[in-house]
Amino acid sequence: MNAHLSIQGGSYLHGADDQHGWSNASLYLSGTQIARIGTSGFSSHAGLPVLDASDLLILPGLVDIHGDAFERQLQPRPATSFAYDIAFADTDRQLITNGITTACHGVTFSWEGGLRGRDAAMATLDQVAAQRSHVHADHRIHLRFENHHADGLHDALEWINAGMVAFFAFNEHLPSILKKSASPEKLQTYAERARCDVPAFLERLHKAQSRSTRVAQTIQQLATACREHGIPMASHDDECRQDRERFQALGAEISEFPKTEEALQLAHTLNNHVIMGAPNVLLGGSHCGGLSATEAIRRGLCDILASDYYYPALLHAPFRLEQDGACSLEQAWQLVSRNPARVLGLHERGHIAEQQRADLLLVERQADGSPRLIATIAAGKLVFCAEPQRLSHQRSLELAA
């Protein structure tokens, strides 16, 4: 067996499900996999790359189930827009330098148009497919469908049937947009994001509102297609018991960012997966007045953390949870790696074991308890290294077969 990279020293997080702990052993990577943990089975290799992980934690790569920070690379200011290849190349670099080795991009497909319209969605799907062979992270699509976007049903079904969607969420933002549009400043912001003037945005808003009678059928057709293709589904911003029960009946067994205690508790009772935001943890609460992710985790009511709108939060949140006494680092790491991987059906990643995909992070725990990312390995390749002196090409020790 030929090893392509050896990781020596450090403590790696072992185990899956409810049994976790730290171990000290060498990790040998071959191709895209963790070929062996320990010393047996590898013979001497001159020039074998060795990555020194002394005094570092070795953790599974982060799996981001919901992130839309890529929108800032596409439209960093309201009146600007940049090419998708440039934007996603930069997004890929941001992902790996924040430890995210698997990313589900939250593509909002809405009646709003502009950044969240049909052309933008198609451009994102095309770009993710086109760049797959030369990016470092594993980029996937999380299609966030606005329920009042009845005109988008055909496209969404086509993308689902073509295997382009890894995760699907039902979104219902029209009522809140309608309410907030009473503010001229907020209305202008919506129009700028939609790349139109205010009268055109209001026309789109009222047109979508007029199609309320088609919402139930649209949701039903999309849910049926997702079930047929084995795509996990979520409802977004559940506010009450009826919201969660409605989508549970359709096979959407994930509650993404529940807004009330009632919705959160019911999701837990139904054994649903609950997703909350990692930025919520770092900020000490929701920036928009929602539930506290830290308190939900402390009570065992949250299963997954997502980067949401800020990629760095996913790496830092588990360490903050440990510092705040909400849970151990071992437990917190499951929220950002193992649990989202399982929901997405990616059973070959999310934990460190032989024959698993080699998505690994080398992290220094700093004096204040916060993490510093030293290296990212994605699918067996060292794609980021803040301390290149740790990598050498020494002749490995003769190991027993």
Side-chain angles (χ1 to χ4, degrees), residues 176-177 179-193 201:
S176 64
I177 291 176
K179 181 178 180 180
K180 292 176 182 177
S181 292
S183 163
E185 294 80 9
K186 192 64 178 177
L187 182 57
Q188 182 63 41
T189 299
Y190 284 134
E192 289 173 346
R193 186 174 69 184
F201 181 79

Side-chain angles (χ1 to χ4, degrees), residues 338-394:
R338 176 63 169 168
N339 292 354
R342 292 178 68 182
V343 166
L344 294 169
L346 303 175
H347 300 291
E348 83 288 4
R349 67 192 78 179
H351 66 285
I352 299 175
E354 293 181 358
Q355 309 310 313
Q356 292 293 294
R357 179 180 162 104
D359 290 343
L360 302 167
L361 309 182
L362 274 61
V363 176
E364 176 189 11
R365 189 199 295 269
Q366 300 184 104
D368 64 357
S370 66
R372 175 175 174 250
L373 183 64
I374 301 300
T376 302
I377 296 168
K381 295 180 181 179
L382 180 63
V383 295
F384 168 73
C385 188
E387 297 183 357
Q389 66 272 21
R390 287 181 176 271
L391 183 65
S392 64
H393 288 74
Q394 301 173 351

